[in-house]
Amino acid sequence: MKRLDIMKRAGRNLAQAKGRTFLTSLAIAVGAFTVTASLAAGEGARQYADQIIKSNVDPQSVYVTKESMRQNAAQSNGLKEYSENQSQYGGMSIEMLSSDDIASLKAVEGVDTVLPTYLIDAQYIQFQGIDTKYTSDITTYDSTVLAATAAGDMPPLGEQLAANEAVVPESYAETLGVSAQDLIGKTLTLHLVKTGKTPSETEIQAAFMAGGTEAVQALYLSESKDVTLTIRAVSAQSSTSFSASSAVFISDTKAEELANYLTEGTSSYQQYVSATVMVEDGVDIEDVKSTIKDSGLAALTAKDISGMIFTMVNVLQGIVFGFGVLALIASVFGIINTQYISVLERTSQIGLMKALGMPRRDVAKLFRYEAAWIGFIGGAIGAGVAYVAGTAMNPWITDTLTLGDGNYLLIFVWWQVALMIVGLMVVAIVAGWLPSRKAARLDPIEALRTE
Amino acid sequence: MIELRNVSKTYGKKKNEFRALDDVSLTIPDGASVAVVGKSGSGKSTLMHAASGLDRPEAGEIVIDGEDILQFKPRAVDRFRSETMSFIFQSFFVQGNETCYNNVSLPLEIAGVPLRERRAKIVKALKAVGLEEKLKSRARDLSGGQKQRLAIARAIVNDPKILFADEPTGNLDSVTGEAIETLLFEYNKKHKTTLIIVTHDPDLAKKCDMQVHISDGKIQKKTGAKS
Ligand SMILES: Nc1ncnc2c1ncn2[C@@H]1O[C@H](COP(=O)(O)OP(=O)(O)OP(=O)(O)O)[C@@H](O)[C@H]1O
Ligand SMILES: [Mg+2]
């Protein structure tokens, strides 16, 4: 008997028992819904994470630290050997990158630029014409990522700010109660205070010789400095770019100058928590990364970061997926039950088909295809409901989680859904195996006797 | 030619053992019409089932065209059922949920007849039993006589060499019953199909080439046949 003929008969048989078919399919649909939703949420989360990383990190950049975070965490509880270039940062003891490290990074083949992370701690900042003092983070402007502009003009992609220029986020204008446009051309003063200078013994001796005790005391006193910059542009708020909304941006040269000023004479002079290495276009970033790693430093690329986030997303997705699979396993028993009843109910029909010379194999196929149809219908209902509900809820989810316009948490990938439905058909066929075998083994005369 | 040689069939085990066919031998030439008559419970159906390869007797041989069908492998048995013989049951066994067309189509599908050849054959079979009007009707909506005619259409659609009919008129009134038996009888004459029919109608039995009388699983007498 031809496969297509068997399939058609299977479909008609199911259409005959609509209620039962529908209810059995519904059990599968619950599992299929959960699986589809978990797939869509996982896909959406990955794409969202990917977008966040893309708008914050250049794919051609490597983030370098002295030791990997994992190493750090592993050792944080234990006794740790003292190292000259060690610093307390964020409550953790971190080994810093020295200027030698920076130099050796620059020497790596394929490296375009090396931008150390300058830590600039301003006591306060002041805007022109406004008396109030504010505190703010100060960061190096990232020329590799083009931030959205609210007012003024950003340097073109790949170009730095001038030394006396600054970019502030739109949220600052809101806090100040002025429009973003008003800030353009205004000046911004950073008040830097230098503390914690530890004079060497010779310096103390020299000061004492020159000015007695007073001169020595002066050595320990803090110095301060005001730096005035002109606001060139205001960056627009972005739901995916973090840096753009949280700090004053200054040029790399200015940042270096200020960082050097603040740390000069301390143990952290020309020591850096991290550095961003830009790799030349056309050079494989993985090669550069492995060279850096071989030199004993820790290196992280955008891909690594997304890999870490993806692992988390995958774990969460796996949990939801698991529940869906559990529901599907439960529905398998529904299929087995339905098919057994179907075989019992249609004993005389099976007897007739066998009396007409239908081979065992084809009788079994007929029942397996019916099971496959049930799997297909269940999968299609579950996936369909998930798609309709998900598409309808997406704007609301985006709003509630402030994902930013155009970002949806639930992204349905057709081939994933198709694969799931095919998978369900296979599962249904396996579930229908025993009932179909029972049907195939019926003796025609015995079967026809049943009325 | 159909030859039953010393066929015995028992039902049940040990104490409940019941011999439904007891050492039955019978020869039916090709194209003959045979009436099987006997009391209820005498073993008529058992004989038909054994001769048609639907059931397996414990002892004996059933030689059809020189081959013992009891020695057939399952695939050959299926092919024999599908291509050589047809069986019309006492209680119609049509598929109520399917249309008349699809009921008659089933044997063709099983035999692997290509789709384009099917339609003509189906229409021809339905015409032969006067059901061409009911092509698209569901079988369950038919009357009893129509259902039996549908069963006949299904039995003749694939041009069988041997046609078994086990009391095809048992569930029908006498007028319809006779009409249907005549239909089968005419089909046998026209197509030279071997017809083996269980019947209570003495007139029809007389018209057949051969009459086999059964009681208690044994053949009491054969009339009309040369042997
Ligand atoms: N599966 C079975 N198990 C036990 N006994 C059976 C079985 N099938 C038939 N028999 C017995 O075998 C005998 C012959 O049965 P069969 O059906 O051949 O009778 P029949 O001549 O066709 O009767 P009827 O005219 O009523 O259809 C009966 O006594 C019946 O009870
Ligand atoms: Mg009978």
Side-chain angles (χ1 to χ4, degrees), chain B residues 122-134:
Chain B
I122 294 167
V123 172
K124 195 178 145 209
L126 283 171
K127 256 193 191 136
V129 299
L131 278 181
E132 67 269 31
E133 307 275 279
K134 299 282 183 183

Side-chain angles (χ1 to χ4, degrees), chain A residues 1-2 5 9 12-13 16 348-349 352-360 443-445 448-449 451, chain B residues 49 54-55 78 81-82 85 89 93 95 97-98 102 106 109-110 112-114 118 138 140 154:
Chain A
M1 201 164 166
K2 294 208 178 62
D5 291 327
R9 282 195 182 261
R12 286 203 298 268
N13 284 335
Q16 197 48 37
S348 67
Q349 186 198 332
L352 174 78
M353 291 188 297
K354 298 203 74 172
L356 290 175
M358 187 151 156
R360 259 184 190 209
D443 176 69
I445 289 303
L448 285 171
R449 208 188 300 279
E451 262 165 77
Chain B
H49 293 157
L54 291 183
D55 210 353
D78 286 332
R81 290 175 186 170
S82 162
M85 74 93 181
F89 297 93
F93 292 122
Q95 289 183 302
N97 58 319
E98 299 270 24
N102 282 323
L106 183 59
E109 289 173 26
I110 290 172
V113 175
R118 285 184 210 158
R138 275 176 189 271
R140 76 156 76 91
R154 184 181 62 200

Side-chain angles (χ1 to χ4, degrees), chain A residues 315-389:
Chain A
V315 167
L316 290 176
Q317 186 190 10
I319 292 170
V320 183
F321 194 88
F323 280 116
V325 169
L326 275 182
L328 288 177
I329 290 173
S331 67
V332 161
F333 295 100
I335 300 179
I336 296 178
N337 192 37
T338 308
Q339 288 300 92
Y340 260 130
I341 293 172
S342 184
V343 170
L344 284 180
E345 226 181 52
R346 283 152 54 194
T347 306
S348 67
Q349 186 198 332
I350 298 162
L352 174 78
M353 291 188 297
K354 298 203 74 172
L356 290 175
M358 187 151 156
R360 259 184 190 209
R361 192 164 28 93
D362 289 350
V363 175
K365 258 190 213 156
L366 178 70
F367 281 86
R368 284 212 295 276
Y369 289 169
E370 284 181 32
W373 268 113
I374 293 177
F376 174 81
I377 296 169
I381 293 176
V385 171
Y387 178 78
V388 170

Side-chain angles (χ1 to χ4, degrees), chain A residues 27 41 61 66 100 118 120 133 160 170 187 195 246 271-272 307 317 322 358 385 397:
Chain A
S61 67
K66 189 77 177 181
D100 286 349
Y118 302 112
I120 303 156
K133 294 166 180 169
Q160 258 298 344
E170 199 180 6
T187 60
T195 50
S246 59
Q271 304 276 313
Y272 309 101
Q317 186 190 10
M358 187 151 156
V385 171
I397 295 172

